[in-house]
DNA sequence: ATTTCATATGATATAGTTTTCATATGTTAT
DNA sequence: ATAACATATGAAAACTATATCATATGAAAT
């Protein structure tokens, strides 16, 4: 397994705002304005962070007029969250030292 | 799936030094001095980062005299790295925008 | 009991990331 | 062509994480 720079992938997910974006996209694609509403975050903040997420294909964009619709790459993200959930359940009663 | 604070788990892995530690433990348990050699990093840096890793059970410690032997929780880490590897192969030719 | 070795810890300095604010770009409607 | 709207972008400010250095702790050997 070659993984010399895989930690960069985790950096992308390891952020509160980006994680909220991911959660908001769990139920289906949304445009930027809708993501702002769902996350209660500012537009430019969301845009900056969407760029990071799409930069490594954690989310996908497509244009629709003046809207940009973002969708989650569930194939990678969902199993990854399932692994974390299992880890927390198995190894950490309560909060695992996680803040 | 409840995942409100799961991003903290990713923060733990999303770091160059800690990732090097994880890699060094891939082949089996090591004590702190051995991890320093394997990673070519300073002892106190390693200790600080080992604390973060063990804080959420990504690694496990046991004492042996004055040595402390760390081992990797492969059950969570390995499948997670496999997911990233697959992601990179599938969605990113070259480097995926990852640094 | 003292020295030596292995590791941990605390405080500060340093580096890096994230947000913010102002503005730019691109699209549709008028 | 201009206005209105949605989103993106750049630069600076604000924030957070990390490394470093000095020192502390604990265990074994002398």
């Amino acid at each position: 397994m070659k993984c010399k720079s895989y930690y960069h992938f985790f950096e992308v997910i390891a952020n509160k705002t980006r994680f909220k974006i991911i959660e908001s996209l769990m139920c289906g694609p949304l445009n930027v304005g809708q993501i702002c509403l769902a996350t209660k975050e500012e537009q430019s903040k969301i845009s900056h962070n969407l760029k990071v997420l799409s930069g490594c294909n954690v989310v996908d964009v497509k244009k629709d007029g003046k809207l940009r619709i973002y969708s989650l790459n569930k194939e990678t993200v969902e199993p990854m969250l399932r692994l974390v959930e299992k880890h927390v359940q198995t190894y950490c009663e309560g909060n695992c030292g996680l803040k």
Side-chain angles (χ1 to χ4, degrees), chain A residues 18-63:
Chain A
R18 292 194 287 275
F19 208 78
K20 280 172 84 175
I21 292 173
I22 288 172
E23 287 182 295
S24 78
L25 294 174
M26 223 77 133
C27 303
L30 297 173
N31 65 49
V32 177
Q34 292 172 320
I35 296 171
C36 292
L37 283 173
T39 59
K40 291 173 186 134
E41 298 284 355
E42 272 235 86
Q43 182 268 314
S44 89
K45 185 173 173 179
I46 291 299
S47 283
H48 279 297
N49 281 290
L50 279 170
K51 193 177 187 185
V52 176
L53 287 168
S54 63
C56 77
N57 295 282
V58 169
V59 302
D60 193 48
V61 211
K62 67 172 199 251
K63 284 189 180 178

Side-chain angles (χ1 to χ4, degrees), chain A residues 42-91:
Chain A
E42 272 235 86
Q43 182 268 314
S44 89
K45 185 173 173 179
I46 291 299
S47 283
H48 279 297
N49 281 290
L50 279 170
K51 193 177 187 185
V52 176
L53 287 168
S54 63
C56 77
N57 295 282
V58 169
V59 302
D60 193 48
V61 211
K62 67 172 199 251
K63 284 189 180 178
D64 171 22
K66 57 184 169 186
L67 302 176
R68 297 214 184 171
I69 295 169
Y70 285 85
S71 56
L72 187 62
N73 178 344
K74 291 191 180 183
E75 207 179 326
T76 301
V77 174
E78 279 196 342
M80 201 161 266
L81 292 177
R82 250 179 262 120
L83 279 172
V84 178
E85 186 172 48
K86 191 181 173 209
H87 179 95
V88 171
Q89 281 169 4
T90 310
Y91 301 103

